[in-house]
Amino acid sequence: MSELRSIAHCGFVAMALVLLVCPALCRLAAQAASATPPPPAPPPRFAPTPEQLAIRAASEKDHQRLMDLLGIKELRPGASHDPKSPYAVNYDESKANVYPSLPDPLLLKNGKRVTSAKVWWMKRRPEIAEDFDREILGRVPANLPRVTWEVVGTTAEKIGDVPVVIKRLTGHVDNSAWPRIAVNIDLTLTTPALAAGPVPVIMELAFSNEFMAAIAKSIPEMMPGGPGNEGPTWQQQVLAKGWGYAILSPTSYQADNGAGLTEGIIGLVNKGQPRKLDDWGTLRAWAWGASRAVDYFETDKAVDAKQVGIEGHSRFGKTALVTMAYDSRFAVAYISSSGTGGAKLYRHVFGELTENLAAAGEYHWMAGNFLKYAGPLTPGDMPVDSHELIALCAPRPVFIGAGASVGDGWADARGMFLAESAAGPVYRLLGKQDLGTTAFPPIETGLVDGDLGFRQHSGGHTPGPNWPTFLDFASRYLHAPAAIKTASTEGSNMR
């Protein structure tokens, strides 16, 4: 067992690279095949390493264990990037509305309508959260270990022309109940050195620098200077507002594979034992770590902890939405290309499907109970859908972004827009503004006048082009200190 744990840890970066890069290359090829002759060359094949094979085998074994517990013999295949497959991914909107009826976020389980904010908070919201806990995302354990934060390094630098203070932090998770598993949270915090007081902070959930460097050539749109990411980086744009930023590495405390479920924070709490069917999945565990970062911000005098926003892209877009829904301390969220399991309706059959998430490669994100909706049940049988996850964020502002159908169709921009639109009644009930329309907007058109925001950019699978629109949206809610200290008065602090 110790050898397998070591393999799961050491092989994570390579396995994650395969999981992220291969689908990205495949879906680009699939989406462009009908429009660009001659057909594109097939994507390069990645030969799995022994470590990756071990992770895959352990994940498949645990996946089968959950199926056995549920009494499921087989699951429906997920959407395939092979256009010749009988399960080829659907990018035809006319075929997407398979399950037209959505659960009503303002209808109690007893059939009565929610007509007041009090009934929402006291009755309906807890009903929705319970359904997500039991069926979709899993329950967070009641008695979680405490986290002790350590500043492991502080440096004075410049980002562009802005003097900053960068703190490297480690959150040490108390493992006294099960010393065999050590868990630490990696976080960096960057704040303007010359700020006159505590500043708002935007926290990004991100892969490690090692992983991002590994995918630089395969997915260039994800990198600074790549397609759609020209100009100032998102960090420079945030600093230009007088705000700070933080970067949290979710995979530092919970691996992104099924083999790691007996390690990390999930394994620590379960004392190395497999999950129960309603135990939390990786998305909830990653969200737990984001909340622990806010615990630290509340102790740092450089941060205005009541003005913390969260941003995530792709699988971390899913995580950012889950975090926003369950932790009311986050003031605003940017949810980028989160797709199925995030802001996209499970019932909208376009791009990635429920069946993809329930397969052995991604099931660990969700509760074990989630698998049954790709087996004997369907997304139409779910007691909730993603519009209600967005509704759990109300009344706080949420901005949802995505790329073009060619390049980011897997994430399903329209499916996310439909979910956000369907969350609107809850925002209106709580005295806030919704998207202002139920009509899907033209590409590059920002809907940012309400407390729900949306924009589809013309690039690929990247959050970059939507950062300026999000920051304008967020500026209505986050505000830097009124004055900035001058370099002359603070120069001694930078020496």
Side-chain angles (χ1 to χ4, degrees):
M1 180 62 72
S2 61
E3 180 180 358
L4 179 57
R5 289 172 180 162
S6 177
I7 288 173
H9 175 74
C10 296
F12 164 71
V13 171
M15 173 58 79
L17 178 60
V18 172
L19 291 174
L20 184 65
V21 172
C22 286
L25 293 172
C26 290
R27 57 178 181 261
L28 284 171
Q31 293 168 24
S34 61
T36 307
R45 292 185 177 274
F46 291 87
T49 67
E51 290 83 3
Q52 293 165 11
L53 291 172
I55 290 172
R56 181 186 301 173
S59 298
E60 290 173 349
K61 182 178 180 180
D62 183 65
H63 184 261
Q64 184 61 53
R65 180 188 64 83
L66 292 173
M67 290 180 60
D68 292 343
L69 288 174
L70 291 165
I72 297 175
K73 299 298 183 183
E74 62 179 2
L75 300 177
R76 295 184 300 275
S80 171
H81 299 296
D82 180 359
K84 297 180 181 180
S85 168
Y87 308 104
V89 59
N90 175 50
Y91 290 124
D92 183 346
E93 181 59 32
S94 68
K95 300 177 181 179
N97 196 27
V98 177
Y99 309 103
S101 298
L102 295 180
D104 190 332
L106 294 179
L107 188 67
L108 290 165
K109 289 186 179 292
N110 63 11
K112 295 182 179 180
R113 293 212 61 80
V114 177
T115 57
S116 70
K118 181 179 179 180
V119 175
W120 165 257
W121 290 112
M122 298 298 294
K123 294 184 178 181
R124 183 57 180 145
R125 192 182 189 280
E127 286 182 348
I128 294 172
E130 166 61 20
D131 284 339
F132 273 105
D133 287 353
R134 184 185 65 252
E135 300 294 313
I136 310 298
L137 299 168
R139 302 183 190 279
V140 173
N143 298 310
L144 284 160
R146 59 184 174 81
V147 176
T148 302
W149 285 98
E150 176 189 5
V151 179
V152 295
T154 301
T155 58
E157 299 182 17
K158 276 194 172 184
I159 305 294
D161 60 355
V162 179
V164 298
V165 175
I166 301 175
K167 295 176 183 175
R168 292 185 296 107
L169 299 123
T170 298
H172 302 287
V173 183
D174 180 9
N175 68 339
S176 57
W178 196 249
R180 301 179 191 180
I181 297 176
V183 181
N184 292 296
I185 304 172
D186 293 341
L187 174 69
T188 62
L189 171 66
T190 302
T191 53
L194 305 182
V199 298
V201 166
I202 300 293
M203 182 170 71
E204 179 178 70
L205 310 180
F207 284 112
S208 66
N209 291 334
E210 177 187 14
F211 178 79
M212 294 305 294
I215 69 169
K217 292 183 179 179
S218 300
I219 312 180
E221 65 265 31
M222 288 285 290
M223 309 306 296
N229 275 336
E230 301 88 352
T233 65
W234 72 266
Q235 295 96 327
Q236 291 172 323
Q237 294 176 62
V238 168
L239 290 172
K241 296 281 187 183
W243 308 345
Y245 64 86
I247 299 176
L248 176 72
S249 175
T251 55
S252 65
Y253 52 92
Q254 187 60 54
D256 188 16
N257 56 65
L261 290 171
T262 52
E263 289 287 323
I265 183 59
I266 295 176
L268 174 60
V269 174
N270 286 344
K271 298 184 177 179
Q273 296 303 305
R275 294 186 300 165
K276 299 187 295 292
L277 289 173
D278 64 348
D279 275 359
W280 55 340
T282 304
L283 295 182
R284 286 299 304 272
W286 287 342
W288 167 84
S291 293
R292 303 292 70 76
V294 177
D295 293 346
Y296 170 76
F297 297 150
E298 290 176 336
T299 71
D300 193 311
K301 294 181 179 179
V303 176
D304 183 345
K306 295 187 181 301
Q307 297 194 78
V308 175
I310 189 168
E311 180 268 341
H313 175 70
S314 198
R315 68 197 65 192
F316 294 143
K318 306 178 202 296
T319 308
L321 181 57
V322 171
T323 306
M324 185 73 170
Y326 281 91
D327 191 336
S328 62
R329 295 177 297 174
F330 286 93
V332 63
Y334 171 16
I335 312 302
S336 176
S337 298
S338 60
T340 305
K344 173 198 161 167
L345 291 171
Y346 292 101
R347 288 166 167 82
H348 194 247
V349 181
F350 188 105
E352 186 177 28
L353 304 179
T354 296
E355 290 80 358
N356 294 97
L357 264 65
E362 297 178 352
Y363 80 102
H364 55 279
W365 294 343
M366 320 301 288
N369 279 327
F370 180 83
L371 272 64
K372 61 190 177 187
Y373 297 104
L377 303 178
T378 72
D381 296 310
M382 289 182 179
V384 287
D385 211 318
S386 61
H387 64 302
E388 291 167 303
L389 188 62
I390 298 169
L392 293 181
C393 303
R396 291 161 296 138
V398 174
F399 177 87
I400 293 175
S405 293
V406 176
D408 203 25
W410 190 250
D412 186 10
R414 187 183 294 267
M416 292 186 282
F417 170 82
L418 291 171
E420 194 171 15
S421 178
V426 175
Y427 274 76
R428 295 195 300 271
L429 177 74
L430 299 179
K432 299 298 182 178
Q433 291 182 274
D434 60 11
L435 284 170
T437 182
T438 57
F440 188 61
I443 200 164
E444 302 279 1
T445 301
L447 302 177
V448 292
D449 291 335
D451 298 289
L452 290 170
F454 178 85
R455 184 176 185 267
Q456 182 187 24
H457 63 74
S458 58
H461 190 59
T462 172
N466 278 336
W467 266 105
T469 305
F470 164 67
L471 291 176
D472 287 345
F473 174 82
S475 293
R476 291 163 40 203
Y477 309 96
L478 306 182
H479 305 285
I484 299 292
K485 299 175 184 178
T486 65
S488 60
T489 60
E490 288 298 310
S492 60
N493 292 335
M494 297 295 294
R495 295 190 183 104

